[in-house]
Amino acid sequence: NSDFRYPHYHTSRLFVRQTFGFGGEQETVESDYGQMSGKRDISRLTVQVGKFAVHDVFDNNAYAQDPRVDFLNWSIWAAGAFDYPADKVGLTYGAVAEWNEKRWALRAGYFLTGSEPNSNTFDGAVFRRGAYVAEAEARTSLGSLPGKIRATAWLNNANSGSYRGAIDLSAAIPGLDINDAIGLTREGRIKYGYVIGLEQALSDSVGLFGRWSWNSGTNEISAFTDIDASLSGGLSIKGASWGRPTDTIGLAGAVNMLSRDHRDYLALGGRGLRT
């Protein structure tokens, strides 16, 4: 990658988080990635501002979330069609508020988008452009086994090109490469989508998960991957039954789709973010 030819300092995450407890029942929190151990009110409002990943807060899943310890496929550890804003290492700047109760949670956030697709610089037109994400989470149970259902909606207003606009422009100007044409169509454009996700424990060692995600598919992918609709699911199995409780075996699959405009663009030689 030409952006990282030499060693350099990079701040992964730097944010301020404030929790406002509403009293009542408390829960114990273990020390983990992104959090310190302690007790907190179950009924609470949490506000976080700074540099972090959208995926730290939204579209979480206990069984398919972290490519370091779960699955490696992008459309399995995340919702494939969720084009959340990020730089080339998956981070952005933003603010999130979460209202948590025992049986449900609501989250909403605003984030900076890249100055162009797959960029390490961010668009400074705050609120005129950017990404808005909202999520509702319901805590369910199968007998005594916990589960969660999440519905996530998002809208990006970002400097991006139009697939159909690039196709029409390259047809109107003989010899114009389709990849140059899409750059000429870049302006502030709206892209939106949603994710439906679930996780359900089937036993103390086995968990089921699934995601369906979709986006409008008319404009360039901003930062994630070239998918406009995705259905994924699988099982995660802990190794307690064979004496290795920290081991995990996973079995999963995904079906990914492209919009018609996106397919037509690629058929003419267009390149996606990961090609």
Side-chain angles (χ1 to χ4, degrees):
N1 188 316
S2 60
D3 293 306
F4 303 111
R5 288 178 293 178
Y6 306 105
H8 68 290
Y9 172 77
H10 181 80
T11 300
S12 176
R13 285 163 175 80
L14 182 62
F15 57 82
V16 175
R17 179 187 294 152
Q18 178 64 52
T19 299
F20 303 92
F22 299 145
E25 186 179 354
Q26 290 193 320
E27 61 184 3
T28 300
V29 181
E30 301 297 333
S31 179
D32 200 357
Y33 180 70
Q35 70 182 26
M36 293 183 289
S37 62
K39 287 185 175 293
R40 62 187 179 188
D41 292 350
I42 291 176
S43 179
R44 63 185 183 272
L45 174 67
T46 303
V47 178
Q48 181 170 311
V49 180
K51 184 179 185 181
F52 52 98
V54 175
H55 213 256
D56 289 350
V57 181
F58 297 94
D59 186 35
N60 281 192
N61 194 289
Y63 307 113
Q65 170 74 19
D66 187 343
R68 299 171 304 173
V69 295
D70 297 325
F71 298 89
L72 292 175
N73 187 287
W74 286 36
S75 57
I76 294 176
W77 65 259
F82 183 9
D83 189 20
Y84 60 86
D87 60 14
K88 291 185 179 182
V89 293
L91 304 168
T92 185
Y93 296 88
V96 172
E98 178 187 67
W99 181 10
N100 186 83
E101 295 292 344
K102 189 168 186 175
R103 303 299 298 176
W104 54 267
L106 297 175
R107 307 175 184 96
Y110 168 81
F111 301 91
L112 298 186
T113 56
S115 56
E116 62 180 23
N118 202 32
S119 174
N120 270 328
T121 60
F122 293 96
D123 194 325
V126 178
F127 299 122
R128 186 160 63 89
R129 284 188 290 275
Y132 299 86
V133 188
E135 183 172 86
E137 175 181 291
R139 284 77 182 255
T140 62
S141 61
L142 182 64
S144 61
L145 299 170
K148 294 179 181 178
I149 300 173
R150 299 180 186 87
T152 309
W154 55 274
L155 182 147
N156 297 346
N157 186 344
N159 181 39
S160 61
S162 161
Y163 294 130
R164 186 57 53 186
I167 292 167
D168 293 344
L169 188 60
S170 64
I173 304 176
L176 178 64
D177 184 86
I178 190 73
N179 295 290
D180 295 327
I182 200 163
L184 296 174
T185 70
R186 285 179 183 155
E187 59 183 43
R189 296 182 185 275
I190 298 294
K191 187 174 188 176
Y192 55 89
Y194 66 86
V195 182
I196 304 296
L198 66 88
E199 60 182 74
Q200 177 61 57
L202 301 181
S203 72
D204 291 339
S205 299
V206 181
L208 171 73
F209 67 90
R211 289 182 175 100
W212 162 253
S213 57
W214 174 91
N215 69 56
S216 48
T218 57
N219 304 329
E220 283 181 289
I221 297 294
S222 173
F224 195 50
T225 195
D226 291 274
I227 298 171
D228 299 315
S230 178
L231 178 65
S232 65
L235 292 171
S236 178
I237 306 167
K238 295 292 185 184
S241 60
W242 57 88
R244 295 179 62 91
T246 59
D247 286 1
T248 304
I249 291 178
L251 177 65
V255 178
N256 300 319
M257 294 152 273
L258 299 176
S259 68
R260 186 186 68 175
D261 288 358
H262 199 164
R263 291 196 306 269
D264 291 348
Y265 167 76
L266 295 176
L268 292 175
R271 295 191 297 271
L273 292 186
R274 309 303 166 192
T275 56

PDB file of all heavy atoms in Angstrom, residues 129-166:
ATOM      1  N   ARG A 129     -22.115  17.034   4.973  1.00  0.00           N
ATOM      2  CA  ARG A 129     -21.857  15.668   4.524  1.00  0.00           C
ATOM      3  C   ARG A 129     -21.443  14.851   5.752  1.00  0.00           C
ATOM      4  O   ARG A 129     -21.029  15.391   6.760  1.00  0.00           O
ATOM      5  CB  ARG A 129     -20.795  15.630   3.430  1.00  0.00           C
ATOM      6  CG  ARG A 129     -21.313  16.079   2.073  1.00  0.00           C
ATOM      7  CD  ARG A 129     -20.304  15.852   0.971  1.00  0.00           C
ATOM      8  NE  ARG A 129     -19.166  16.752   1.066  1.00  0.00           N
ATOM      9  CZ  ARG A 129     -19.140  17.984   0.568  1.00  0.00           C
ATOM     10  NH1 ARG A 129     -20.209  18.469  -0.031  1.00  0.00           N
ATOM     11  NH2 ARG A 129     -18.067  18.741   0.688  1.00  0.00           N
ATOM     12  N   GLY A 130     -21.547  13.548   5.629  1.00  0.00           N
ATOM     13  CA  GLY A 130     -21.233  12.678   6.748  1.00  0.00           C
ATOM     14  C   GLY A 130     -22.151  11.472   6.743  1.00  0.00           C
ATOM     15  O   GLY A 130     -22.946  11.265   5.816  1.00  0.00           O
ATOM     16  N   ALA A 131     -22.026  10.653   7.779  1.00  0.00           N
ATOM     17  CA  ALA A 131     -22.799   9.419   7.880  1.00  0.00           C
ATOM     18  C   ALA A 131     -23.621   9.426   9.156  1.00  0.00           C
ATOM     19  O   ALA A 131     -23.123   9.767  10.237  1.00  0.00           O
ATOM     20  CB  ALA A 131     -21.863   8.210   7.871  1.00  0.00           C
ATOM     21  N   TYR A 132     -24.883   9.027   9.032  1.00  0.00           N
ATOM     22  CA  TYR A 132     -25.802   8.924  10.168  1.00  0.00           C
ATOM     23  C   TYR A 132     -26.189   7.454  10.328  1.00  0.00           C
ATOM     24  O   TYR A 132     -26.569   6.804   9.358  1.00  0.00           O
ATOM     25  CB  TYR A 132     -27.041   9.774   9.934  1.00  0.00           C
ATOM     26  CG  TYR A 132     -26.743  11.249   9.783  1.00  0.00           C
ATOM     27  CD1 TYR A 132     -26.398  11.784   8.539  1.00  0.00           C
ATOM     28  CD2 TYR A 132     -26.776  12.097  10.885  1.00  0.00           C
ATOM     29  CE1 TYR A 132     -26.109  13.137   8.402  1.00  0.00           C
ATOM     30  CE2 TYR A 132     -26.488  13.454  10.756  1.00  0.00           C
ATOM     31  CZ  TYR A 132     -26.156  13.961   9.511  1.00  0.00           C
ATOM     32  OH  TYR A 132     -25.869  15.308   9.374  1.00  0.00           O
ATOM     33  N   VAL A 133     -26.092   6.954  11.545  1.00  0.00           N
ATOM     34  CA  VAL A 133     -26.397   5.544  11.823  1.00  0.00           C
ATOM     35  C   VAL A 133     -27.307   5.479  13.044  1.00  0.00           C
ATOM     36  O   VAL A 133     -27.073   6.173  14.036  1.00  0.00           O
ATOM     37  CB  VAL A 133     -25.119   4.725  12.094  1.00  0.00           C
ATOM     38  CG1 VAL A 133     -25.452   3.235  12.178  1.00  0.00           C
ATOM     39  CG2 VAL A 133     -24.056   4.967  11.031  1.00  0.00           C
ATOM     40  N   ALA A 134     -28.340   4.641  12.961  1.00  0.00           N
ATOM     41  CA  ALA A 134     -29.230   4.414  14.095  1.00  0.00           C
ATOM     42  C   ALA A 134     -29.482   2.916  14.233  1.00  0.00           C
ATOM     43  O   ALA A 134     -29.539   2.192  13.227  1.00  0.00           O
ATOM     44  CB  ALA A 134     -30.553   5.152  13.912  1.00  0.00           C
ATOM     45  N   GLU A 135     -29.619   2.455  15.468  1.00  0.00           N
ATOM     46  CA  GLU A 135     -29.791   1.023  15.698  1.00  0.00           C
ATOM     47  C   GLU A 135     -30.688   0.778  16.904  1.00  0.00           C
ATOM     48  O   GLU A 135     -30.586   1.462  17.924  1.00  0.00           O
ATOM     49  CB  GLU A 135     -28.426   0.372  15.938  1.00  0.00           C
ATOM     50  CG  GLU A 135     -28.461  -1.134  16.112  1.00  0.00           C
ATOM     51  CD  GLU A 135     -27.064  -1.730  16.160  1.00  0.00           C
ATOM     52  OE1 GLU A 135     -26.464  -1.771  17.261  1.00  0.00           O
ATOM     53  OE2 GLU A 135     -26.550  -2.111  15.101  1.00  0.00           O
ATOM     54  N   ALA A 136     -31.577  -0.211  16.763  1.00  0.00           N
ATOM     55  CA  ALA A 136     -32.408  -0.688  17.866  1.00  0.00           C
ATOM     56  C   ALA A 136     -32.038  -2.136  18.142  1.00  0.00           C
ATOM     57  O   ALA A 136     -31.887  -2.935  17.220  1.00  0.00           O
ATOM     58  CB  ALA A 136     -33.887  -0.579  17.511  1.00  0.00           C
ATOM     59  N   GLU A 137     -31.876  -2.466  19.418  1.00  0.00           N
ATOM     60  CA  GLU A 137     -31.487  -3.819  19.827  1.00  0.00           C
ATOM     61  C   GLU A 137     -32.490  -4.339  20.840  1.00  0.00           C
ATOM     62  O   GLU A 137     -32.804  -3.660  21.827  1.00  0.00           O
ATOM     63  CB  GLU A 137     -30.096  -3.801  20.434  1.00  0.00           C
ATOM     64  CG  GLU A 137     -29.639  -5.140  20.993  1.00  0.00           C
ATOM     65  CD  GLU A 137     -28.246  -5.052  21.598  1.00  0.00           C
ATOM     66  OE1 GLU A 137     -27.289  -4.875  20.824  1.00  0.00           O
ATOM     67  OE2 GLU A 137     -28.107  -5.134  22.836  1.00  0.00           O
ATOM     68  N   ALA A 138     -33.000  -5.544  20.607  1.00  0.00           N
ATOM     69  CA  ALA A 138     -33.897  -6.213  21.558  1.00  0.00           C
ATOM     70  C   ALA A 138     -33.204  -7.445  22.102  1.00  0.00           C
ATOM     71  O   ALA A 138     -32.630  -8.230  21.334  1.00  0.00           O
ATOM     72  CB  ALA A 138     -35.205  -6.601  20.870  1.00  0.00           C
ATOM     73  N   ARG A 139     -33.225  -7.620  23.423  1.00  0.00           N
ATOM     74  CA  ARG A 139     -32.646  -8.806  24.061  1.00  0.00           C
ATOM     75  C   ARG A 139     -33.750  -9.848  24.212  1.00  0.00           C
ATOM     76  O   ARG A 139     -34.812  -9.574  24.783  1.00  0.00           O
ATOM     77  CB  ARG A 139     -32.064  -8.463  25.428  1.00  0.00           C
ATOM     78  CG  ARG A 139     -30.706  -7.719  25.386  1.00  0.00           C
ATOM     79  CD  ARG A 139     -30.900  -6.230  25.026  1.00  0.00           C
ATOM     80  NE  ARG A 139     -29.663  -5.483  24.916  1.00  0.00           N
ATOM     81  CZ  ARG A 139     -29.243  -4.616  25.834  1.00  0.00           C
ATOM     82  NH1 ARG A 139     -29.932  -4.414  26.949  1.00  0.00           N
ATOM     83  NH2 ARG A 139     -28.129  -3.945  25.652  1.00  0.00           N
ATOM     84  N   THR A 140     -33.521 -11.025  23.680  1.00  0.00           N
ATOM     85  CA  THR A 140     -34.516 -12.090  23.680  1.00  0.00           C
ATOM     86  C   THR A 140     -33.962 -13.292  24.446  1.00  0.00           C
ATOM     87  O   THR A 140     -32.843 -13.265  24.959  1.00  0.00           O
ATOM     88  CB  THR A 140     -34.848 -12.508  22.243  1.00  0.00           C
ATOM     89  OG1 THR A 140     -33.654 -13.014  21.607  1.00  0.00           O
ATOM     90  CG2 THR A 140     -35.364 -11.318  21.438  1.00  0.00           C
ATOM     91  N   SER A 141     -34.752 -14.359  24.517  1.00  0.00           N
ATOM     92  CA  SER A 141     -34.269 -15.585  25.149  1.00  0.00           C
ATOM     93  C   SER A 141     -34.966 -16.785  24.530  1.00  0.00           C
ATOM     94  O   SER A 141     -36.117 -16.703  24.093  1.00  0.00           O
ATOM     95  CB  SER A 141     -34.510 -15.555  26.663  1.00  0.00           C
ATOM     96  OG  SER A 141     -35.889 -15.449  26.953  1.00  0.00           O
ATOM     97  N   LEU A 142     -34.241 -17.881  24.471  1.00  0.00           N
ATOM     98  CA  LEU A 142     -34.772 -19.179  24.048  1.00  0.00           C
ATOM     99  C   LEU A 142     -34.670 -20.075  25.269  1.00  0.00           C
ATOM    100  O   LEU A 142     -33.609 -20.622  25.550  1.00  0.00           O
ATOM    101  CB  LEU A 142     -33.950 -19.721  22.869  1.00  0.00           C
ATOM    102  CG  LEU A 142     -34.401 -21.046  22.269  1.00  0.00           C
ATOM    103  CD1 LEU A 142     -35.790 -20.913  21.657  1.00  0.00           C
ATOM    104  CD2 LEU A 142     -33.396 -21.512  21.207  1.00  0.00           C
ATOM    105  N   GLY A 143     -35.774 -20.184  26.007  1.00  0.00           N
ATOM    106  CA  GLY A 143     -35.679 -20.792  27.327  1.00  0.00           C
ATOM    107  C   GLY A 143     -34.847 -19.882  28.216  1.00  0.00           C
ATOM    108  O   GLY A 143     -35.152 -18.706  28.383  1.00  0.00           O
ATOM    109  N   SER A 144     -33.767 -20.421  28.763  1.00  0.00           N
ATOM    110  CA  SER A 144     -32.867 -19.611  29.586  1.00  0.00           C
ATOM    111  C   SER A 144     -31.664 -19.100  28.805  1.00  0.00           C
ATOM    112  O   SER A 144     -30.771 -18.467  29.388  1.00  0.00           O
ATOM    113  CB  SER A 144     -32.377 -20.448  30.773  1.00  0.00           C
ATOM    114  OG  SER A 144     -31.647 -21.588  30.309  1.00  0.00           O
ATOM    115  N   LEU A 145     -31.636 -19.345  27.492  1.00  0.00           N
ATOM    116  CA  LEU A 145     -30.470 -18.992  26.669  1.00  0.00           C
ATOM    117  C   LEU A 145     -30.670 -17.622  26.029  1.00  0.00           C
ATOM    118  O   LEU A 145     -31.700 -17.375  25.399  1.00  0.00           O
ATOM    119  CB  LEU A 145     -30.245 -20.057  25.598  1.00  0.00           C
ATOM    120  CG  LEU A 145     -29.964 -21.469  26.130  1.00  0.00           C
ATOM    121  CD1 LEU A 145     -30.009 -22.484  24.997  1.00  0.00           C
ATOM    122  CD2 LEU A 145     -28.608 -21.508  26.837  1.00  0.00           C
ATOM    123  N   PRO A 146     -29.680 -16.725  26.151  1.00  0.00           N
ATOM    124  CA  PRO A 146     -29.860 -15.347  25.676  1.00  0.00           C
ATOM    125  C   PRO A 146     -29.714 -15.223  24.161  1.00  0.00           C
ATOM    126  O   PRO A 146     -29.007 -15.991  23.502  1.00  0.00           O
ATOM    127  CB  PRO A 146     -28.738 -14.593  26.396  1.00  0.00           C
ATOM    128  CG  PRO A 146     -27.661 -15.630  26.578  1.00  0.00           C
ATOM    129  CD  PRO A 146     -28.386 -16.912  26.841  1.00  0.00           C
ATOM    130  N   GLY A 147     -30.362 -14.204  23.629  1.00  0.00           N
ATOM    131  CA  GLY A 147     -30.239 -13.874  22.223  1.00  0.00           C
ATOM    132  C   GLY A 147     -30.464 -12.384  22.023  1.00  0.00           C
ATOM    133  O   GLY A 147     -30.915 -11.681  22.937  1.00  0.00           O
ATOM    134  N   LYS A 148     -30.164 -11.896  20.824  1.00  0.00           N
ATOM    135  CA  LYS A 148     -30.365 -10.478  20.504  1.00  0.00           C
ATOM    136  C   LYS A 148     -30.789 -10.357  19.045  1.00  0.00           C
ATOM    137  O   LYS A 148     -30.345 -11.125  18.181  1.00  0.00           O
ATOM    138  CB  LYS A 148     -29.079  -9.674  20.727  1.00  0.00           C
ATOM    139  CG  LYS A 148     -28.634  -9.595  22.177  1.00  0.00           C
ATOM    140  CD  LYS A 148     -27.350  -8.798  22.314  1.00  0.00           C
ATOM    141  CE  LYS A 148     -26.890  -8.750  23.770  1.00  0.00           C
ATOM    142  NZ  LYS A 148     -25.615  -8.005  23.922  1.00  0.00           N
ATOM    143  N   ILE A 149     -31.635  -9.372  18.789  1.00  0.00           N
ATOM    144  CA  ILE A 149     -32.023  -9.001  17.429  1.00  0.00           C
ATOM    145  C   ILE A 149     -31.725  -7.514  17.268  1.00  0.00           C
ATOM    146  O   ILE A 149     -32.079  -6.706  18.132  1.00  0.00           O
ATOM    147  CB  ILE A 149     -33.511  -9.276  17.167  1.00  0.00           C
ATOM    148  CG1 ILE A 149     -33.828 -10.761  17.342  1.00  0.00           C
ATOM    149  CG2 ILE A 149     -33.897  -8.807  15.765  1.00  0.00           C
ATOM    150  CD1 ILE A 149     -35.305 -11.075  17.259  1.00  0.00           C
ATOM    151  N   ARG A 150     -31.069  -7.155  16.158  1.00  0.00           N
ATOM    152  CA  ARG A 150     -30.716  -5.754  15.919  1.00  0.00           C
ATOM    153  C   ARG A 150     -31.228  -5.315  14.558  1.00  0.00           C
ATOM    154  O   ARG A 150     -31.135  -6.056  13.575  1.00  0.00           O
ATOM    155  CB  ARG A 150     -29.197  -5.557  15.966  1.00  0.00           C
ATOM    156  CG  ARG A 150     -28.561  -5.906  17.287  1.00  0.00           C
ATOM    157  CD  ARG A 150     -27.052  -5.684  17.248  1.00  0.00           C
ATOM    158  NE  ARG A 150     -26.439  -6.155  18.490  1.00  0.00           N
ATOM    159  CZ  ARG A 150     -26.051  -7.408  18.698  1.00  0.00           C
ATOM    160  NH1 ARG A 150     -26.203  -8.319  17.745  1.00  0.00           N
ATOM    161  NH2 ARG A 150     -25.514  -7.745  19.848  1.00  0.00           N
ATOM    162  N   ALA A 151     -31.715  -4.083  14.513  1.00  0.00           N
ATOM    163  CA  ALA A 151     -32.095  -3.445  13.251  1.00  0.00           C
ATOM    164  C   ALA A 151     -31.307  -2.148  13.146  1.00  0.00           C
ATOM    165  O   ALA A 151     -31.401  -1.282  14.026  1.00  0.00           O
ATOM    166  CB  ALA A 151     -33.587  -3.179  13.210  1.00  0.00           C
ATOM    167  N   THR A 152     -30.520  -2.027  12.086  1.00  0.00           N
ATOM    168  CA  THR A 152     -29.646  -0.875  11.888  1.00  0.00           C
ATOM    169  C   THR A 152     -30.012  -0.175  10.592  1.00  0.00           C
ATOM    170  O   THR A 152     -30.173  -0.825   9.553  1.00  0.00           O
ATOM    171  CB  THR A 152     -28.168  -1.324  11.814  1.00  0.00           C
ATOM    172  OG1 THR A 152     -27.863  -2.165  12.931  1.00  0.00           O
ATOM    173  CG2 THR A 152     -27.226  -0.136  11.791  1.00  0.00           C
ATOM    174  N   ALA A 153     -30.143   1.139  10.631  1.00  0.00           N
ATOM    175  CA  ALA A 153     -30.391   1.940   9.428  1.00  0.00           C
ATOM    176  C   ALA A 153     -29.288   2.979   9.312  1.00  0.00           C
ATOM    177  O   ALA A 153     -28.816   3.514  10.325  1.00  0.00           O
ATOM    178  CB  ALA A 153     -31.755   2.618   9.502  1.00  0.00           C
ATOM    179  N   TRP A 154     -28.856   3.264   8.090  1.00  0.00           N
ATOM    180  CA  TRP A 154     -27.776   4.232   7.904  1.00  0.00           C
ATOM    181  C   TRP A 154     -27.961   5.032   6.621  1.00  0.00           C
ATOM    182  O   TRP A 154     -28.624   4.583   5.677  1.00  0.00           O
ATOM    183  CB  TRP A 154     -26.408   3.528   7.884  1.00  0.00           C
ATOM    184  CG  TRP A 154     -26.279   2.429   6.860  1.00  0.00           C
ATOM    185  CD1 TRP A 154     -26.644   1.124   7.012  1.00  0.00           C
ATOM    186  CD2 TRP A 154     -25.780   2.554   5.526  1.00  0.00           C
ATOM    187  NE1 TRP A 154     -26.383   0.427   5.857  1.00  0.00           N
ATOM    188  CE2 TRP A 154     -25.857   1.268   4.926  1.00  0.00           C
ATOM    189  CE3 TRP A 154     -25.278   3.614   4.783  1.00  0.00           C
ATOM    190  CZ2 TRP A 154     -25.440   1.029   3.619  1.00  0.00           C
ATOM    191  CZ3 TRP A 154     -24.861   3.377   3.468  1.00  0.00           C
ATOM    192  CH2 TRP A 154     -24.937   2.094   2.903  1.00  0.00           C
ATOM    193  N   LEU A 155     -27.391   6.223   6.630  1.00  0.00           N
ATOM    194  CA  LEU A 155     -27.425   7.118   5.464  1.00  0.00           C
ATOM    195  C   LEU A 155     -26.103   7.853   5.383  1.00  0.00           C
ATOM    196  O   LEU A 155     -25.660   8.457   6.367  1.00  0.00           O
ATOM    197  CB  LEU A 155     -28.590   8.097   5.589  1.00  0.00           C
ATOM    198  CG  LEU A 155     -28.792   9.064   4.421  1.00  0.00           C
ATOM    199  CD1 LEU A 155     -30.282   9.374   4.241  1.00  0.00           C
ATOM    200  CD2 LEU A 155     -28.017  10.383   4.623  1.00  0.00           C
ATOM    201  N   ASN A 156     -25.462   7.776   4.227  1.00  0.00           N
ATOM    202  CA  ASN A 156     -24.218   8.503   3.969  1.00  0.00           C
ATOM    203  C   ASN A 156     -24.478   9.607   2.961  1.00  0.00           C
ATOM    204  O   ASN A 156     -25.130   9.381   1.933  1.00  0.00           O
ATOM    205  CB  ASN A 156     -23.140   7.594   3.369  1.00  0.00           C
ATOM    206  CG  ASN A 156     -22.713   6.478   4.290  1.00  0.00           C
ATOM    207  OD1 ASN A 156     -23.007   6.502   5.481  1.00  0.00           O
ATOM    208  ND2 ASN A 156     -22.019   5.498   3.751  1.00  0.00           N
ATOM    209  N   ASN A 157     -23.958  10.800   3.232  1.00  0.00           N
ATOM    210  CA  ASN A 157     -23.878  11.860   2.227  1.00  0.00           C
ATOM    211  C   ASN A 157     -22.399  12.110   2.014  1.00  0.00           C
ATOM    212  O   ASN A 157     -21.741  12.723   2.853  1.00  0.00           O
ATOM    213  CB  ASN A 157     -24.593  13.124   2.705  1.00  0.00           C
ATOM    214  CG  ASN A 157     -24.658  14.198   1.622  1.00  0.00           C
ATOM    215  OD1 ASN A 157     -23.932  14.140   0.636  1.00  0.00           O
ATOM    216  ND2 ASN A 157     -25.523  15.175   1.818  1.00  0.00           N
ATOM    217  N   ALA A 158     -21.859  11.573   0.921  1.00  0.00           N
ATOM    218  CA  ALA A 158     -20.409  11.566   0.734  1.00  0.00           C
ATOM    219  C   ALA A 158     -20.053  11.933  -0.697  1.00  0.00           C
ATOM    220  O   ALA A 158     -20.875  11.802  -1.628  1.00  0.00           O
ATOM    221  CB  ALA A 158     -19.841  10.186   1.060  1.00  0.00           C
ATOM    222  N   ASN A 159     -18.824  12.387  -0.887  1.00  0.00           N
ATOM    223  CA  ASN A 159     -18.302  12.686  -2.217  1.00  0.00           C
ATOM    224  C   ASN A 159     -18.049  11.371  -2.944  1.00  0.00           C
ATOM    225  O   ASN A 159     -17.061  10.688  -2.688  1.00  0.00           O
ATOM    226  CB  ASN A 159     -17.004  13.490  -2.097  1.00  0.00           C
ATOM    227  CG  ASN A 159     -16.424  13.862  -3.445  1.00  0.00           C
ATOM    228  OD1 ASN A 159     -17.142  14.196  -4.372  1.00  0.00           O
ATOM    229  ND2 ASN A 159     -15.104  13.794  -3.553  1.00  0.00           N
ATOM    230  N   SER A 160     -18.939  10.983  -3.827  1.00  0.00           N
ATOM    231  CA  SER A 160     -18.823   9.688  -4.504  1.00  0.00           C
ATOM    232  C   SER A 160     -19.368   9.785  -5.912  1.00  0.00           C
ATOM    233  O   SER A 160     -20.105  10.714  -6.265  1.00  0.00           O
ATOM    234  CB  SER A 160     -19.576   8.600  -3.729  1.00  0.00           C
ATOM    235  OG  SER A 160     -20.949   8.902  -3.644  1.00  0.00           O
ATOM    236  N   GLY A 161     -18.991   8.809  -6.731  1.00  0.00           N
ATOM    237  CA  GLY A 161     -19.425   8.779  -8.117  1.00  0.00           C
ATOM    238  C   GLY A 161     -20.661   7.925  -8.311  1.00  0.00           C
ATOM    239  O   GLY A 161     -21.004   7.085  -7.484  1.00  0.00           O
ATOM    240  N   SER A 162     -21.318   8.148  -9.443  1.00  0.00           N
ATOM    241  CA  SER A 162     -22.520   7.398  -9.806  1.00  0.00           C
ATOM    242  C   SER A 162     -22.153   6.324 -10.825  1.00  0.00           C
ATOM    243  O   SER A 162     -21.527   6.619 -11.850  1.00  0.00           O
ATOM    244  CB  SER A 162     -23.556   8.344 -10.410  1.00  0.00           C
ATOM    245  OG  SER A 162     -24.527   7.651 -11.149  1.00  0.00           O
ATOM    246  N   TYR A 163     -22.522   5.070 -10.558  1.00  0.00           N
ATOM    247  CA  TYR A 163     -22.243   4.003 -11.519  1.00  0.00           C
ATOM    248  C   TYR A 163     -22.917   4.295 -12.857  1.00  0.00           C
ATOM    249  O   TYR A 163     -22.286   4.210 -13.917  1.00  0.00           O
ATOM    250  CB  TYR A 163     -22.758   2.663 -10.981  1.00  0.00           C
ATOM    251  CG  TYR A 163     -22.043   2.164  -9.756  1.00  0.00           C
ATOM    252  CD1 TYR A 163     -22.760   1.756  -8.628  1.00  0.00           C
ATOM    253  CD2 TYR A 163     -20.649   2.087  -9.704  1.00  0.00           C
ATOM    254  CE1 TYR A 163     -22.105   1.283  -7.503  1.00  0.00           C
ATOM    255  CE2 TYR A 163     -19.998   1.625  -8.578  1.00  0.00           C
ATOM    256  CZ  TYR A 163     -20.729   1.221  -7.479  1.00  0.00           C
ATOM    257  OH  TYR A 163     -20.085   0.757  -6.359  1.00  0.00           O
ATOM    258  N   ARG A 164     -24.203   4.640 -12.840  1.00  0.00           N
ATOM    259  CA  ARG A 164     -24.917   4.890 -14.094  1.00  0.00           C
ATOM    260  C   ARG A 164     -24.388   6.141 -14.774  1.00  0.00           C
ATOM    261  O   ARG A 164     -24.272   6.190 -16.008  1.00  0.00           O
ATOM    262  CB  ARG A 164     -26.414   5.019 -13.809  1.00  0.00           C
ATOM    263  CG  ARG A 164     -27.298   5.132 -15.053  1.00  0.00           C
ATOM    264  CD  ARG A 164     -27.129   3.982 -16.008  1.00  0.00           C
ATOM    265  NE  ARG A 164     -27.309   2.684 -15.364  1.00  0.00           N
ATOM    266  CZ  ARG A 164     -27.090   1.525 -15.978  1.00  0.00           C
ATOM    267  NH1 ARG A 164     -26.626   1.485 -17.233  1.00  0.00           N
ATOM    268  NH2 ARG A 164     -27.290   0.391 -15.329  1.00  0.00           N
ATOM    269  N   GLY A 165     -24.040   7.169 -13.965  1.00  0.00           N
ATOM    270  CA  GLY A 165     -23.465   8.376 -14.547  1.00  0.00           C
ATOM    271  C   GLY A 165     -22.156   8.096 -15.256  1.00  0.00           C
ATOM    272  O   GLY A 165     -21.883   8.644 -16.333  1.00  0.00           O
ATOM    273  N   ALA A 166     -21.317   7.237 -14.679  1.00  0.00           N
ATOM    274  CA  ALA A 166     -20.044   6.878 -15.304  1.00  0.00           C
ATOM    275  C   ALA A 166     -20.265   6.096 -16.592  1.00  0.00           C
ATOM    276  O   ALA A 166     -19.560   6.312 -17.596  1.00  0.00           O
ATOM    277  CB  ALA A 166     -19.199   6.069 -14.324  1.00  0.00           C
TER     278      ALA A 166
END
